Amino acid sequence: MTATSRKEKAAETEAALKEAAKRVFAARGYLNTKITDITAEAGRSAGSFYNHFAGKEELLEALLADISATGDSTAEQPGHSPDFSTPEAIRWHVATYWHFYRENAATMLALRQASMINDEFGRKLARFGANEQEDVANHLAYVTDAGLRLPATPQLTIAMMYQLIDSFAQMWLLSPMPAGWNEPTDEEAIDALTRFVYRGFTGRDF
């Protein structure tokens, strides 16, 4: 086997382990998942796992790095606008985060569960959230430049927006459905969040 073939096989195994971990985390939860559960799901040997990760925690860190890299590239997608004085710009960001959360729900839940027993993961999750907020903090300048008044300082305003969207996504995409409640469609959730955030930022409706 050539060096290139070995690299390709290693990359394929690492990807298979990551995807298997997501499925097992979704089914069993991070805390109840064993490494052998992941390797069995991936169709790989337990030994192959340790060729790539020192343990379950390191694999979860790799998944966090993957979703962080995905988040870093979102501003390059079509339709992005930093002008938070317009509902269209806010809706784009809300929709992007909502779909990102849905796609990475198993990893996000695993990170939350890991942070309950590991302070380091708690700090990593907090840093991830802070980075997400910092990426859009300068968008609020468009609101004040339009002569509108933010509800609080830019830092507090963006923190409120992030916590609202994150908690709302967690409620519907990660937590059990509240008894008697009807789950919103993606479009209903995105529209509701957009209206709420836009009113909070600008005091206007649309």
Side-chain angles (χ1 to χ4, degrees):
M1 184 182 293
T2 67
T4 300
S5 297
R6 284 195 293 271
K7 277 188 173 182
E8 290 175 348
K9 186 171 180 60
E12 180 184 321
T13 298
E14 181 175 338
L17 290 169
K18 287 180 178 179
E19 291 303 313
K22 293 177 187 177
R23 293 192 296 272
V24 178
F25 290 160
R28 300 190 179 192
Y30 174 80
L31 301 179
N32 293 324
T33 294
K34 300 176 182 176
I35 289 173
T36 51
D37 297 328
I38 297 171
T39 54
E41 177 69 22
R44 301 296 197 275
S45 68
S48 70
F49 181 96
Y50 294 103
N51 291 332
H52 299 275
F53 307 106
K56 187 173 65 169
E57 296 78 10
E58 189 171 293
L59 185 152
L60 185 56
E61 288 182 7
L63 291 177
L64 177 59
D66 287 347
I67 64 174
S68 295
T70 300
D72 290 342
S73 65
T74 55
E76 301 170 6
Q77 296 176 9
H80 173 261
S81 169
D83 188 356
F84 270 13
S85 69
T86 67
E88 294 80 13
I90 291 176
R91 192 183 196 284
W92 186 92
H93 285 81
V94 167
T96 298
Y97 192 77
W98 182 268
H99 292 304
F100 160 84
Y101 209 106
R102 179 179 286 284
E103 183 177 347
N104 296 284
T107 301
M108 297 301 290
L109 180 57
L111 286 163
R112 292 183 184 283
Q113 292 174 338
S115 69
M116 292 189 296
I117 60 170
N118 186 313
D119 290 341
E120 181 61 24
F121 271 113
R123 286 189 288 271
K124 288 179 186 292
L125 188 58
R127 184 68 250 169
F128 171 76
N131 288 340
E132 291 291 304
Q133 295 173 53
E134 288 170 4
D135 286 345
V136 297
N138 62 343
H139 295 16
L140 293 177
Y142 289 86
V143 178
T144 53
D145 288 348
L148 302 169
R149 182 180 178 183
L150 295 171
T153 65
Q155 184 181 52
L156 287 178
T157 299
I158 209 69
M160 286 188 287
M161 169 192 163
Y162 178 82
Q163 289 301 323
L164 168 68
I165 299 172
D166 190 74
S167 296
F168 195 72
Q170 181 183 348
M171 173 182 177
W172 293 110
L173 303 180
L174 296 186
S175 304
M177 178 73 63
W181 286 39
N182 296 316
E183 182 178 3
T185 65
D186 287 345
E187 289 303 302
E188 287 173 337
I190 291 166
D191 285 344
L193 284 167
T194 299
R195 287 185 179 277
F196 201 93
V197 171
Y198 182 73
R199 286 176 182 172
F201 281 1
T202 68
R204 296 175 173 175
D205 197 0
F206 65 92

